[in-house]
Amino acid sequence: PRVIFSGIQPTGIPHLGNYVGALRQWVQLQHHEHKDTKLIYSIVDLHAITTPQSPEKLKRWKRESLAALLAIGIDPERSILFYQSSVPAHSELMWILACTASVGYLSRMTQWKQKLNLAPNSHMEDRPAESRLKLGLFSYPVLQAADILVHRSTHVPVGHDQQQHLEFARDRKLLLANHTAYPAPVHRVMSLSDPTSKMSKSHKLARSRILITDTPDEIRLKISSALTDSVHGISYDHALRPGISNLLSLFSIFDAEKRSPEQLAQAYSDTHPRLFKDMVSDAVILGLQGIRTRYIKLIDSDTHYLDHVAADGARKALQSAEETMGMVRTAVGL
Ligand code: ATP
Ligand code: MG
């Protein structure tokens, strides 16, 4: 049977990039996969603490992430939805895998090298990256491999940035079935303030991203202040007009008539950018309306229900992981 695993960090409420690039597929898999396929979705709080987090904020973000996943349509009866830290087997398997991971191999990981080369940030003064960055961050791919292997996942939908980490998991089959990368999400949503980098939860500028729970006013304000260019009219060209093209992509995703970005560019080629942004806002606001309504209901009144979902997901995930750990402990001789 197929086992599909994927995760999201509780580093903030999901934004349109998370939704389009990952979460939307999670929901669709519930409808498209055979009922015997196990769907496992984790709010990966252990990954989140590889960079500094405030405890109060992390706790709040975990709940908000859970409510957001339910609001977009993850069905806890169909999918196993759980906080990573509620299943200690993730950490236990990570340790065992860490004892097989070479330091040289991990230091060649692109994401790590990028983090190493980043200039020190202001409040950390000028400490060199090697003392600023932590062992936990270095071993991020090992924990990710444990997430996948502990549930004997066969398919792992991950974005382009995570493909290399998947190779590490693939090399460590242990007793486990071969697993495959799931067709990577097609689309990267770009930042509204810098359309050449991806929209991200942890970027310091809040207006660089649209959260899936933003109010209509917030959405309109963020889109109206999105960085575009001074070229006349509307056209679709990611290299030459990244800002306008990103807005066209967003428009297309939420367009009631399901037009492609190219078709929309044709239809609105002579439109003034301000008017165009208004129309993009209308489409996004309408598209997110249902999610927002359900989210508010969950976060405001359903404390009990959220706790219940988390506990139930933990119970199912524990069971799934424990089967594997039995085999792993035997194989290792523990
Ligand atoms: P952070 O900045 O804390 O890393 P993030 O926005 O990158 O947050 P993650 O929790 O790391 O979000 O990623 C969750 C999922 O969303 C992953 O599958 C990732 O590939 C996908 N994803 C993240 N940003 C985008 C984006 N801009 N466009 C498309 N997919 C994205
Ligand atoms: Mg990320």
Side-chain angles (χ1 to χ4, degrees):
R2 290 148 71 90
V3 180
I4 299 177
F5 177 90
S6 200
I8 183 162
Q9 297 193 57
T11 41
I13 292 178
H15 51 70
L16 280 183
N18 302 134
Y19 182 60
V20 172
L23 306 180
R24 221 170 31 152
Q25 282 79 356
W26 295 11
V27 177
Q28 284 163 0
L29 288 169
Q30 298 183 133
H31 307 297
H32 298 154
E33 283 289 323
H34 189 271
K35 66 173 173 39
D36 291 339
T37 301
K38 224 169 162 184
L39 300 175
I40 309 181
Y41 300 130
S42 185
I43 295 170
V44 291
D45 46 3
L46 297 175
H47 283 285
I49 60 169
T50 57
T51 52
Q53 302 292 344
S54 113
E56 296 77 31
K57 227 184 206 174
L58 181 62
K59 193 169 172 214
R60 181 162 56 84
W61 278 342
K62 284 176 61 174
R63 288 184 67 75
E64 290 174 352
S65 301
L66 183 63
L69 290 175
L70 294 170
I72 64 164
I74 300 294
D75 170 8
E77 299 294 321
R78 171 67 185 92
S79 305
I80 301 181
L81 181 58
F82 72 108
Y83 297 127
Q84 183 186 30
S85 63
S86 61
V87 181
H90 284 251
S91 320
E92 185 185 355
L93 182 57
M94 186 226 154
W95 178 255
I96 294 171
L97 294 175
C99 296
T100 76
S102 96
V103 172
Y105 177 84
L106 290 177
S107 37
R108 288 190 293 276
M109 291 280 175
T110 312
Q111 289 230 334
W112 171 254
K113 288 202 291 194
Q114 278 170 357
K115 297 250 159 69
L116 260 186
N117 293 336
L118 287 181
N121 54 32
S122 53
H123 53 272
M124 294 286 184
E125 318 113 31
D126 49 7
R127 282 196 291 152
E130 275 180 6
S131 54
R132 200 167 27 84
L133 299 178
K134 308 301 182 205
L135 179 59
L137 187 66
F138 181 64
S139 50
Y140 197 107
V142 186
L143 182 56
Q144 209 168 21
D147 297 337
I148 294 165
L149 296 171
V150 85
H151 297 291
R152 283 171 289 157
S153 313
T154 58
H155 294 75
V156 187
V158 290
H160 176 76
D161 49 337
Q162 302 299 320
Q163 292 291 334
Q164 196 180 29
H165 294 171
L166 220 59
E167 276 166 40
F168 175 80
R170 200 173 289 125
D171 288 346
R172 269 155 195 75
K173 284 184 210 99
L174 298 168
L175 306 168
L176 312 169
N178 234 331
H179 66 270
T180 341
Y182 213 80
V186 276
H187 195 75
R188 279 216 310 168
V189 176
M190 308 310 277
S191 156
L192 296 180
S193 53
D194 168 16
T196 58
S197 61
K198 78 166 193 87
M199 190 176 280
S200 134
K201 277 190 246 111
S202 48
H203 192 282
K204 55 186 186 314
L205 263 190
R207 65 176 163 82
S208 70
R209 59 186 163 263
I210 293 173
L211 306 183
I212 60 174
T213 59
D214 273 347
T215 64
D217 283 350
E218 285 167 328
I219 295 172
R220 204 171 288 287
L221 192 69
K222 287 174 183 178
I223 290 181
S224 70
S225 67
L227 186 71
T228 49
D229 53 49
S230 49
V231 180
H232 175 78
I234 303 301
S235 55
Y236 190 59
D237 182 333
H238 270 286
L240 288 177
R241 309 192 65 188
I244 288 289
S245 302
N246 192 36
L247 293 181
L248 279 164
S249 301
L250 287 181
F251 196 167
S252 163
I253 287 157
F254 293 105
D255 182 37
E257 296 168 44
K258 302 207 181 316
R259 288 165 293 183
S260 68
E262 290 87 351
Q263 288 171 326
L264 288 165
Q266 283 260 303
Y268 298 106
S269 58
D270 287 329
T271 309
H272 189 278
R274 190 159 353 102
L275 197 60
F276 174 70
K277 283 176 164 178
D278 263 343
M279 290 188 293
V280 177
S281 302
D282 291 340
V284 174
I285 289 167
L286 199 62
L288 291 179
Q289 198 175 47
I291 294 178
R292 182 175 154 73
T293 309
R294 286 188 293 275
Y295 174 82
I296 289 174
K297 191 152 172 274
L298 284 159
I299 210 78
D300 282 352
S301 55
D302 268 344
T303 303
H304 212 68
Y305 177 67
L306 289 181
D307 292 343
H308 164 76
V309 168
D312 197 50
R315 186 179 54 76
K316 292 182 199 154
L318 271 167
Q319 192 182 349
S320 150
E322 228 12 75
E323 287 167 24
T324 313
M325 288 317 289
M327 290 187 266
V328 169
R329 289 185 201 109
T330 306
V332 178
L334 293 172

